[in-house]
Amino acid sequence: MRYKTGMYGGSFDPLHLGHLSDIIKAASVCEELYIVISWCEGRESTPKELRYRWILNSTRHLPNVKILLIEDKAVSKEEYNTDYYWEKGAMDIKSAIGKPIDVVFCGSDYLGTNRFESLYCPESQVIYFDREEVPISSTEIRTWSSAHWDYIPDVCKDYYARKVLVVGGESTGKSTLVQNLALAYNTNYVSEYGRITSDYAGGEDFMMAEDLYENLLRQRLQIMDAARKSNRVLFVDTDAVTTLFYSRLLLTNPKEIEICEKMATAISDMTQWDLVLFLEPDVEFIQDGTRNKKIHEDRERYSQQIKQALAQNNITYHCVSGDYLERFETAKKLIAELGITTQF
């Protein structure tokens, strides 16, 4: 190895392929490379815990890489970019590493500023990485992640993937729309898990509270897994609030309803949607043998009840109506407002 101890620091907010390129190069010439994550409560857009695990899971194959977290108290980026905070940060880094630092790595955007030389030389050599080799910055990704998707490491993509929820009453074309949108955006989707439990039970009339609990838990886990494999956007058919609606429709035991409501509310609160599409019941009802007869007889009433449940859980939604093609086109227009476009 050329150097015994090296240091590469930054906010990594968020981590991108340019950072990983630099880490690989630095690690290849150091016996030990310390990656220093700078953080300040309330100033960053991404929690420090996420940035730590992103770097950790991107560098597990590099045993000489060690990760440190260094806190600063600057309330703004402008305040941080002052001599006081840079000098204090350098002192904190040297103290945390606890040994001579032979080399400090940084981006070429600092070349000519004498910033790192004034803090680390002559004890350390300063090496600059060309930012143009991977032409992206964390600021650009924070501003418009979907436009720079190819520069986001896979380990980060579940955090930045936009999540689009499609809800509505039975036989309003949810599953068809979700699958069509997934094809159009070359990504994946999560289907309604309730179809599996309903089929296993022999229909909605035979479902038990445990089936609804399972719907809530498995749907949430499927969303988490699918987000890690999504291309900019993930489409989801039905949410926890809809399951809450069905618990009130299908269950009679107050205790079971209460448990389902608590689970649904908790799961709904921890799930953030970038867009929610509510499909109006203005297409033909198709009875596939599993759908609820009560809902068929008064589709508008039950649609209003689902809307009320969404509102009670502070979920904003867009109503989508018309035939299947009109719904598809309306959905694409709304998704375009998220900064995500498609080829057809």
Side-chain angles (χ1 to χ4, degrees), residues 6 9-10 36 53 59 78 80 113 117 129 145 313 335:
V36 177
R53 72 180 60 178
T59 60
E78 291 73 24
Y80 177 77
T113 66
E117 286 84 354
F129 290 125
S145 60
N313 284 269
I335 294 165

Side-chain angles (χ1 to χ4, degrees), residues 2-38:
R2 194 179 309 169
Y3 304 101
K4 187 173 181 63
T5 304
M7 189 276 288
Y8 177 45
S11 65
F12 305 101
D13 186 13
L15 180 70
H16 56 67
L17 292 185
H19 292 139
L20 295 183
S21 173
D22 293 346
I23 290 172
I24 290 170
K25 292 175 185 175
S28 67
V29 296
C30 295
E31 289 184 19
E32 286 186 312
L33 175 67
Y34 287 86
I35 307 299
V36 177
I37 303 173
S38 175

Side-chain angles (χ1 to χ4, degrees), residues 68 71 75 118 132 186 196 212 215 291 319 325 340:
L68 298 175
E71 182 182 11
V75 297
S118 66
E132 295 305 314
N186 192 28
I196 296 174
L212 297 175
N215 291 348
R291 288 173 173 152
C319 293
L325 179 57
I340 303 172

